[in-house]
Amino acid sequence: MVVSLSRQGNVGIITVDHPPVNAISAAVRAGILEALAQAQADGALEALVLAASGRTFMAGADITEFAKGPAGPTFHEVCQALEAAPKPIVAALHGTAFGGGLELALCCTARVAVPSAQVGLPEVKLGILPGAGGTQRLPRLVGVAAALDIIVSGDPVAAPQAAKAGVVDALIEGDLLAGAVAYAQSLLAKGQPYRRVRDITIDPESIPADFFAAARARFAKERRNQFAPQKIVDAVEAAVVLDIDAGLERERALIAECFVHPQARALQHVFFAERQVAKIPNLAKETQSRPIAKVAIIGAGTMGGGIAMNFANAGIPVTLLEVSAEGLERGLGVVRKNYEASAAKGKLTAAQVEARMAHITPTLAYSDLADADLIIEAVFETLDVKRQVFQELDKVAKAGAILASNTSYLSIDTIAQYTTRPADVVGLHFFSPANVMRLLEIVRGEKTAPDVLATSLELARRIKKIGVVAGNCHGFIGNRMLEGYGREANLLVLEGASPAQVDKVLFDFGMPMGAFAMSDMAGLDIGYRSRKERQLTNLQARAGRVGDKLVEAGRLGLKSGAGFYDYAPGSRTPMPSDATAQIIAQVQAGEGISARKIDDQEILERCFFALVNEGLKILGEGMAYRASDIDIVYINGYGFPAYRGGPMHWAENAIGLKTLLERLQHYAAQTGAPWWTPAPLLERLVSEGRSLASI
Ligand code: T1G
């Protein structure tokens, strides 16, 4: 029974029981209607409570039903039944009353919640909008501006704040059900008429004339290229200009537009992909994670300090080791500065800053790492230094400790060989700034034990990262794909496009910034050093020629005030540079290249198809478990727009694998460059008519 009706005296309790999150499936909607009808017919019942069992009140519509299309009673029917009920109904909220769950609660007479509960309308994160009256009822309760922010952000609101805003009528300390029953009794004592949210009117005069135009302009910038936020503005505007029933009808039309937009499919793909990454194929169910009670970080530089913060933030004691007292002091100083910056923004209290700093214990002695359950090194990126560190760790780390490297491209297998316990060695590749970026690549070595992978994935969740398992290839998943993207951007500039033209195409597509603005921000000397270390073919080296010349001219990017772009003193705004144009012309002359006009479509195809082709090679080589894992890497580590689903979802759904293959073959024929050879997996999928999900 997904919905049951029980009785406590004269109060009926409708309880939804549809684990894990009481998603509102067709059966739940039918069950609520059935229980409502029974309760209304039961003369002994004078009031009702709508509650849910398990860890949360209804957390929204059942997303797994979206692809199947509508079935069973609609949300609208359930909302109407709740609002038409002559007996007062109190919604009892705990956990995350999200989406349709909150919307049903808004149709009840009142809402009570435990202080730890959260309410929210996260539909926008799925590319849709609240379709069960949320865009009409919430503005009536909290006001148009506040409602718009809650709905467009999709972010949760803690129950105490929701109570202040008027969404929750009472906070219940102690037993929620008892509190809800008592509240229902208090409504009976007050007697009719019971206020219904739908009866609250919004005075159009109270809304500034340009409010919605300004909202559209704001979200066109803040939620660039995104469809649902604009439709949310339309829906909330309807709550002001139409009566409730017309407004509800308008909302239903608007969510229908969203459901069929490619961005909705993309974002729903991302929702499930984010949960798939934690599933390791063929991992025995009984695999136990190793307990991680204490962590140690080696290296208190930018990365080491940022990594340490993740654990301190999660309340996990972390020992931070450096080779010098100055280095340690400097590293701790940076960590404290980061925390104090958060405190200045009101994100942390001074006490929380001290508590987090107290979780970090500095040391200069390897012996202090002996009781750590996990040790992560974030030292200089050379194998020689890694060897010294891991040989030392092999001596001091306790049996069963996980030994992790934060390397961004060195071989985990090589590093594991520096120890007598390769099964305990794994890559934990954080992205800079490590205390901010959500992605954590968990690099599986040849000998990495399965429970080490499982432990790493669990730990990722604990420190609010999204962990993705990557194979041990050069660049793992993200950086390996980035290489092709950056190479094409540079070659396009060599062939006649300007850095600004390339960056505009990439930015307009939805990347947070273009390739050259990103290189300037990261520092051109990083690529310069890497190119010098590797034996590049002439064709590969060509892509780096302009970057090399810029570095040799002292133009290292933002940090030197000029790179591909010029920067006014103190400004981070990239400005096209004549100096760079001259360097490009010199390199073109040296390479015998005569610049040609390049259209935006070629720029888009070459940068993103190179990225996707590499992703398909990674998938085909088993360096990623799923195409959707690669999407999660690129969205969370490199800012690929989630509303396009990630590079692999975009390639398959917006371009089509057949077209992609044809274009790769075109560029391979045009350039003769080996990297345009289509991934073997792509050729197989196209010839067999299979999808990426079939792998
Ligand atoms: N439908 C179906 N399955 C869901 C689900 C949902 N709404 N939410 C979670 N799951 C599955 C999830 O895939 C995972 O499955 C398991 O539950 C645990 O989830 C009309 C149309 C509630 C905060 O967007 O935000 O209402 O991997 O790992 O970290 O206007 O789940 O175990 O097989 O995330 O504790 C609006 C989405 C829907 C809420 C719990 N609601 N869910 O987080 O667990 S649209 C949402 C969440 C809507 C109406 C519209 C989170 C959570 P598996 P989990 P968690």
Side-chain angles (χ1 to χ4, degrees):
M1 282 281 278
V2 288
V3 181
S4 61
L5 174 64
S6 58
R7 291 163 179 74
Q8 278 196 23
N10 62 343
V11 177
I13 317 289
I14 300 175
T15 305
V16 175
D17 182 16
H18 183 222
V21 298
N22 289 311
I24 309 165
S25 61
V28 169
R29 294 194 297 273
I32 293 174
L33 287 176
E34 169 63 27
L36 266 176
Q38 276 178 26
Q40 295 311 347
D42 184 335
L45 297 178
E46 296 180 80
L48 297 174
V49 166
L50 175 61
S53 61
R55 58 177 162 152
T56 177
F57 187 76
M58 291 171 273
D62 186 336
I63 305 171
T64 61
E65 286 188 348
F66 290 177
K68 300 173 207 157
T74 64
F75 269 94
H76 185 53
E77 288 171 72
V78 180
C79 289
Q80 281 185 317
L82 287 168
E83 283 187 321
K87 300 173 183 175
I89 307 175
V90 176
L93 311 183
H94 73 295
T96 48
F98 283 177
L102 176 60
E103 291 176 290
L104 295 187
L106 292 176
C107 294
C108 296
T109 317
R111 287 146 297 281
V112 299
V114 291
S116 60
Q118 293 180 312
V119 299
L121 294 172
E123 287 86 343
V124 69
K125 296 179 179 176
L126 298 169
I128 53 178
L129 51 81
T135 66
Q136 308 302 305
R137 293 189 181 89
L138 192 63
R140 283 174 161 77
L141 268 181
V142 306
V144 168
L148 197 53
D149 282 346
I150 290 171
I151 301 170
V152 172
S153 74
D155 289 340
V157 178
Q161 274 74 12
K164 279 200 199 89
V167 178
V168 165
D169 297 286
L171 291 174
I172 306 294
E173 302 292 346
D175 184 282
L176 174 60
L177 195 53
V181 169
Y183 198 88
Q185 299 289 12
S186 72
L187 287 176
L188 289 171
K190 263 192 233 148
Q192 296 271 9
Y194 302 116
R195 182 199 72 163
R196 298 183 308 172
V197 177
R198 62 174 289 124
D199 298 330
I200 300 170
T201 54
I202 299 172
D203 171 9
E205 297 305 309
S206 67
I207 311 294
D210 65 349
F211 176 82
F212 289 105
R216 287 190 177 89
R218 173 187 159 204
F219 296 125
K221 206 155 164 267
E222 285 177 13
R223 310 298 292 265
R224 193 158 54 93
N225 297 345
Q226 294 163 54
F227 183 78
Q230 295 295 326
K231 296 300 163 186
I232 289 169
V233 178
D234 295 347
V236 173
E237 185 174 36
V240 176
V241 299
L242 301 174
D243 67 43
I244 181 81
D245 291 318
L248 289 169
E249 198 176 330
R250 176 86 178 110
E251 178 192 79
R252 286 195 295 276
L254 289 165
I255 189 174
E257 283 184 61
C258 292
F259 262 122
V260 297
H261 196 286
Q263 288 183 5
R265 267 194 68 196
L267 286 164
Q268 288 152 35
H269 159 76
V270 171
F271 176 85
F272 289 112
E274 283 191 340
R275 287 153 180 82
Q276 277 288 87
V277 294
K279 293 172 179 134
I280 301 176
N282 317 318
L283 178 71
K285 272 266 178 281
E286 60 279 0
T287 305
Q288 291 296 314
S289 296
R290 298 186 191 181
I292 304 289
K294 190 165 182 188
V295 172
I297 311 288
I298 303 177
T302 312
M303 286 308 283
I307 295 170
M309 289 175 71
N310 290 308
F311 294 99
N313 296 346
I316 301 170
V318 50
T319 302
L320 184 58
L321 177 133
E322 245 304 339
V323 289
S324 71
E326 303 75 30
L328 204 46
E329 198 181 326
R330 188 171 52 247
L332 282 173
V334 171
V335 168
R336 174 171 287 282
K337 202 154 64 66
N338 286 339
Y339 279 138
E340 283 168 355
S342 299
K345 290 180 209 148
K347 289 183 185 163
L348 286 179
T349 63
Q352 283 171 323
V353 170
E354 294 316 319
R356 292 188 187 191
M357 288 304 295
H359 279 308
I360 301 175
T361 307
T363 180
L364 297 171
Y366 265 90
S367 54
D368 287 345
L369 311 186
D371 61 347
D373 304 300
L374 163 68
I375 303 171
I376 306 171
E377 63 78 14
V379 297
F380 203 61
E381 278 284 75
T382 65
L383 278 176
D384 191 37
V385 174
K386 305 291 186 191
R387 179 177 47 73
Q388 293 166 38
V389 166
F390 276 84
Q391 284 173 342
E392 193 61 31
L393 284 181
D394 205 30
K395 287 184 221 149
V396 303
K398 70 181 181 183
I402 294 175
L403 310 182
S405 170
N406 171 56
T407 181
S408 57
Y409 65 93
L410 296 174
S411 166
I412 293 299
D413 289 339
T414 306
I415 291 171
Q417 283 162 5
Y418 298 147
T419 75
T420 58
R421 49 174 118 179
D424 296 339
V425 176
V426 70
L428 290 181
H429 177 213
F430 289 81
F431 285 72
S432 182
N435 55 308
V436 173
M437 294 299 281
R438 198 168 164 230
L439 178 64
L440 175 64
E441 277 184 331
I442 298 167
V443 186
R444 160 190 95 231
E446 193 63 43
K447 297 192 168 61
T448 302
D451 70 326
V452 169
L453 286 183
T455 306
S456 302
L457 279 159
E458 194 178 275
L459 193 71
R461 272 180 80 107
R462 271 177 80 185
I463 61 174
K464 297 193 177 14
K465 298 289 180 190
I466 186 150
V468 183
V469 176
N472 180 43
C473 55
H474 184 88
F476 312 135
I477 295 174
N479 283 344
R480 177 170 161 183
M481 290 169 71
L482 177 66
E483 194 165 343
Y485 172 85
R487 179 197 64 233
E488 288 310 306
N490 279 277
L491 288 174
L492 283 156
V493 159
L494 214 49
E495 294 168 32
S498 71
Q501 180 193 2
V502 172
D503 278 3
K504 184 176 184 316
V505 170
L506 303 176
F507 179 79
D508 288 351
F509 175 83
M511 297 305 282
M513 61 176 72
F516 297 106
M518 190 173 78
S519 299
D520 273 0
M521 198 169 84
L524 303 186
D525 45 335
I526 297 173
Y528 181 80
R529 264 204 309 277
S530 164
R531 285 189 292 275
K532 295 303 169 218
E533 277 169 14
R534 292 166 62 198
Q535 300 309 318
L536 298 177
T537 64
N538 188 38
L539 207 51
Q540 287 168 327
R542 209 182 207 190
R545 288 263 194 281
V546 173
D548 291 348
K549 289 279 182 261
L550 288 170
V551 169
E552 286 153 11
R555 297 173 67 93
L556 307 184
L558 210 48
K559 60 184 165 187
S560 69
F564 277 98
Y565 294 102
D566 288 338
Y567 297 88
S571 161
R572 302 169 68 86
T573 308
M575 296 185 300
S577 161
D578 292 341
T580 299
Q582 278 166 22
I583 287 174
I584 292 169
Q586 285 160 14
V587 175
Q588 285 168 336
E591 295 286 324
I593 294 172
S594 50
R596 64 183 171 91
K597 187 170 170 358
I598 296 178
D599 64 35
D600 290 355
Q601 182 61 22
E602 180 178 347
I603 293 172
L604 188 110
E605 288 191 355
R606 283 177 55 177
C607 289
F608 288 110
F609 290 0
L611 186 86
V612 172
N613 196 35
E614 201 58 43
L616 287 159
K617 289 175 185 168
I618 288 168
L619 196 55
E621 294 163 19
M623 293 294 131
Y625 290 140
R626 316 169 185 86
S628 59
D629 283 11
I630 295 172
D631 286 332
I632 295 304
V633 165
Y634 232 78
I635 289 166
N636 291 282
Y638 302 79
F640 192 96
Y643 59 80
R644 292 187 191 273
M648 311 308 277
H649 176 90
W650 168 76
E652 182 167 43
N653 292 276
I655 305 297
L657 299 183
K658 188 168 173 300
T659 303
L660 173 66
L661 178 58
E662 287 161 3
R663 296 307 291 159
L664 292 172
Q665 288 163 339
H666 162 76
Y667 289 114
Q670 187 189 59
T671 65
W675 51 69
W676 282 115
T677 305
L681 172 63
L682 176 62
E683 292 180 313
R684 266 203 324 278
L685 290 173
V686 171
S687 65
E688 295 162 15
R690 285 166 52 209
S691 74
L692 288 175
S694 70
I695 299 165

